[in-house]
C-alpha cells in the first residue's frame, strides 16, 4: 500500500521501472526506415556548375545540328543525275528518318590526325585548309606531265631487249594471261625481297643457279608473290616478277587501311602474327612484312615473328595470313545472320 506522503520500497522500485520503460525508444522489428530518421531526397541535388555545363553542351549540340541542313532543290537535281529514282527515294526517306539533333548529339568526331575535327559537308572551299581550285588547263597540263613521267618510268622486263614492247613475247604472254594492258602492268609495284645462290648436285657435277623471291602489288588491295630460278641473273628476275604478277590475289582491307582483326599463319618453322591497328599507327613491322603491306595498300599494321625468321618462309606466311582473313560478313552469313554497320549508315562514319 502506498500513501500520498509515504511510499514503501517496492512501490518506489515499481514506479521507477515503469517510467524507464515508457521513456525508452521502441524497438523496430521491420526493415523500413524509422519515422524519426532523416530520409534521402528522391532526386539528387544538382549544383549550379552542372547546370551551366549542361546548358553549354545543349548550346553546342544545337549549333552543330544547325549545320546539318536538308538538301536543297539544286542539290536534289544534281543527285538525281547520279542516282536512280529508287535510290533518291531511299535517300529522302533516310534523311527524313534521322533527326539532325540526334546525329549531332550521338555522333562522335574522329580525332585522328587524318580526319577533320569539324562537321562539314565539304560543299564550300576553305582557303586555309583546302587546296586552290585548278582550272581545266592546269588539269590538262598536270595530266600531260604525269603521262610523260609514267612513260619515262615504264617498267622494263629484264632479259632480251626488243625494239618495242609489243614485240616482247614475255610481255605479250603476260598480258594475255592476266588480262592487263601494258599501262596497268607498269603501275604495279614490284620488289625483290630474297635472292641467293643455290647449287644442285648431279652426276655431272654441281650446277649453280640464282634464286629470287619477288612480290608485286598495285597498292590498292592486290598482292602476289613469285619465285624464279635461272642460271642468269636477268632470267631469274624476270621469272620471279612475272610469276608474282600472275599470282596477284585480292587482300581484304578494313577501311582500306588495315586488316580485319588479328591473323596468324605458319609456313615451315616460321610463324607470323599480324594485328590490326588504329588510324595513324603506321606499319610497325620488319622490312619484309613492311614491303608486303605497302604493296597491298595497308597503312596501319603490327606484326610479330616469334619463331623462325627464315626470309622465304616469313614472306610466304605473311602472304598466307593476308589472304586467309575471316571477314565479319562471312562469319555472319555462316551463322545465318545479317550484319549492318549502323554507325556508318546513320552517322556517316563519324563514330568509332
Amino acid at each position: 500500500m502506498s500513501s500520498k506522503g509515504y511510499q514503501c520500497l517496492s512501490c518506489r522500485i515499481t514506479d521507477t521501472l515503469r517510467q524507464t520503460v515508457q521513456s525508452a525508444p521502441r524497438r523496430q522489428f521491420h526493415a523500413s526506415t524509422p519515422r524519426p530518421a532523416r530520409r534521402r531526397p528522391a532526386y539528387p541535388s544538382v549544383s549550379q556548375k552542372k547546370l551551366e555545363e549542361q546548358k553549354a553542351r545543349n548550346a553546342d549540340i544545337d549549333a552543330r545540328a544547325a549545320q546539318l541542313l536538308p538538301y536543297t532543290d539544286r542539290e536534289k537535281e544534281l543527285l538525281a543525275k547520279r542516282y536512280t529514282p529508287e535510290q533518291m527515294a531511299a535517300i529522302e526517306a533516310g534523311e527524313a528518318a534521322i533527326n539532325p539533333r540526334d546525329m549531332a548529339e550521338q555522333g562522335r568526331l574522329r580525332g585522328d590526325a587524318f580526319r577533320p575535327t569539324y562537321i562539314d559537308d565539304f560543299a564550300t572551299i576553305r582557303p586555309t585548309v583546302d587546296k586552290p581550285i585548278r582550272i581545266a588547263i592546269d588539269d590538262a597540263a598536270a595530266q600531260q606531265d604525269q603521262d610523260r613521267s609514267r612513260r619515262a618510268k615504264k617498267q622494263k622486263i629484264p632479259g632480251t631487249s626488243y625494239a618495242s614492247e609489243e614485240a616482247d613475247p614475255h610481255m605479250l604472254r603476260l598480258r594475255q594471261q592476266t588480262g592487263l594492258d601494258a599501262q596497268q602492268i607498269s603501275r604495279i609495284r614490284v620488289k625483290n625481297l630474297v635472292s641467293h645462290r643455290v647449287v644442285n648436285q648431279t652426276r655431272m657435277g654441281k650446277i649453280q643457279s640464282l634464286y629470287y623471291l619477288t612480290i608485286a602489288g598495285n597498292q590498292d588491295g592486290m598482292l602476289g608473290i613469285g619465285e624464279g630460278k635461272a642460271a642468269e641473273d636477268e632470267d631469274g628476275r624476270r621469272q620471279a616478277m612475272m610469276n608474282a604478277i600472275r599470282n596477284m590475289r585480292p587482300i581484304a582491307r578494313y577501311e582500306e587501311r588495315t586488316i580485319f582483326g588479328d591473323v596468324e599463319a605458319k609456313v615451315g618453322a616460321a610463324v607470323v602474327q599480324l594485328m590490326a591497328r588504329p588510324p595513324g599507327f603506321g606499319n610497325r613491322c620488319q622490312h619484309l612484312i613492311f614491303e608486303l603491306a605497302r604493296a597491298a595498300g595497308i597503312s596501319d599494321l603490327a606484326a610479330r615473328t616469334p619463331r623462325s625468321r627464315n626470309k622465304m618462309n616469313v614472306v610466304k606466311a605473311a602472304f598466307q595470313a593476308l589472304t586467309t582473313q575471316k571477314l565479319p560478313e562471312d562469319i555472319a552469313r555462316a551463322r545465318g545472320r545479317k550484319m549492318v554497320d549502323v554507325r556508318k549508315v546513320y552517322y556517316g562514319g563519324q563514330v568509332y
Side-chain angles (χ1 to χ4, degrees):
M1 296 296 295
S2 63
S3 62
K4 186 176 182 180
Y6 172 78
Q7 289 183 344
C8 63
L9 180 60
S10 61
C11 294
R12 291 181 183 181
I13 294 175
T14 303
D15 294 342
T16 303
L17 292 177
R18 186 182 298 109
Q19 293 176 3
T20 304
V21 172
Q22 291 178 357
S23 61
R26 294 185 178 181
R27 185 176 180 183
Q28 301 293 334
F29 294 96
H30 50 81
S32 61
T33 306
R35 185 175 299 275
R38 180 185 177 186
R39 296 183 179 181
R40 293 183 179 180
Y43 301 96
S45 60
V46 181
S47 61
Q48 182 66 21
K49 182 179 179 181
K50 293 184 178 180
L51 288 176
E52 294 177 356
E53 292 177 356
Q54 183 65 24
K55 187 176 180 180
R57 185 173 182 274
N58 292 335
D60 182 37
I61 293 174
D62 294 338
R64 286 189 292 170
Q67 299 179 9
L68 305 175
L69 301 177
Y71 287 122
T72 61
D73 296 338
R74 177 58 180 170
E75 292 174 347
K76 290 182 180 180
E77 292 178 1
L78 296 176
L79 290 175
K81 296 179 180 180
R82 184 174 181 180
Y83 299 101
T84 61
E86 292 80 6
Q87 292 176 340
M88 287 297 301
I91 292 174
E92 293 178 358
E95 289 289 334
I98 301 173
N99 188 4
R101 180 177 174 82
D102 182 54
M103 179 180 292
E105 183 177 1
Q106 298 186 20
R108 294 177 58 187
L109 294 177
R110 298 153 69 171
D112 56 276
F114 303 97
R115 301 178 184 179
T117 57
Y118 54 89
I119 296 180
D120 192 359
D121 57 356
F122 302 101
T124 58
I125 297 178
R126 301 190 179 189
T128 56
V129 295
D130 296 331
K131 294 182 179 180
I133 301 178
R134 296 184 302 177
I135 59 178
I137 299 176
D138 297 338
D139 291 340
Q143 185 66 27
Q144 291 178 1
D145 295 340
Q146 292 179 2
D147 294 341
R148 291 196 201 96
S149 62
R150 192 179 297 114
R151 285 194 298 268
K153 297 180 180 179
K154 187 170 290 185
Q155 189 171 351
K156 302 293 183 180
I157 295 182
T160 307
S161 61
Y162 295 87
S164 63
E165 293 186 356
E166 299 296 336
D168 188 354
H170 303 292
M171 178 67 74
L172 179 60
R173 184 177 180 183
L174 181 62
R175 292 202 305 267
Q176 292 175 351
Q177 291 176 343
T178 59
L180 304 175
D181 55 12
Q183 187 176 8
Q184 292 175 343
I185 294 177
S186 64
R187 296 176 183 174
I188 296 176
R189 179 181 180 83
V190 179
K191 183 75 173 180
N192 183 29
L193 298 183
V194 182
S195 62
H196 54 256
R197 185 175 64 92
V198 295
V199 178
N200 184 21
Q201 180 67 47
T202 64
R203 63 185 181 90
M204 301 298 296
K206 295 181 179 180
I207 301 178
Q208 299 182 3
S209 301
L210 296 174
Y211 170 86
Y212 295 94
L213 178 63
T214 307
I215 64 171
N218 64 349
Q219 303 183 35
D220 193 19
M222 294 292 292
L223 181 66
I225 62 174
E227 298 175 297
K229 185 174 67 173
E232 297 294 335
D233 180 20
E234 295 181 352
D235 294 339
R237 290 178 181 273
R238 183 184 67 244
Q239 291 180 16
M241 184 188 66
M242 299 184 74
N243 289 334
I245 296 176
R246 292 192 193 99
N247 297 333
M248 283 198 308
R249 297 174 57 184
I251 303 299
R253 298 180 300 165
Y254 176 69
E255 294 181 351
E256 297 184 357
R257 60 174 184 80
T258 185
I259 60 177
F260 286 85
D262 301 345
V263 292
E264 181 178 347
K266 181 177 182 294
V267 174
V271 176
V272 174
Q273 300 172 354
L274 304 180
M275 290 80 73
R277 285 297 179 263
F281 185 85
N283 293 330
R284 303 185 187 180
C285 46
Q286 59 162 293
H287 68 284
L288 299 175
I289 305 177
F290 177 87
E291 295 294 343
L292 282 168
R294 183 164 62 170
I298 297 175
S299 58
D300 300 309
L301 185 70
R304 292 181 67 251
T305 53
R307 295 185 58 185
S308 173
R309 296 182 180 178
N310 181 273
K311 293 184 178 181
M312 291 188 302
N313 292 341
V314 166
V315 173
K316 294 178 182 179
F319 180 73
Q320 180 180 345
L322 290 174
T323 54
T324 57
Q325 302 180 50
K326 291 184 179 180
L327 303 182
E329 292 82 0
D330 298 340
I331 298 175
R333 190 180 301 109
R335 296 178 180 177
R337 304 287 184 177
K338 182 178 181 181
M339 189 190 71
V340 176
D341 195 345
V342 183
R343 301 171 301 174
K344 291 185 178 181
V345 174
Y346 289 101
Y347 301 110
Q350 293 185 356
V351 295
Y352 298 109

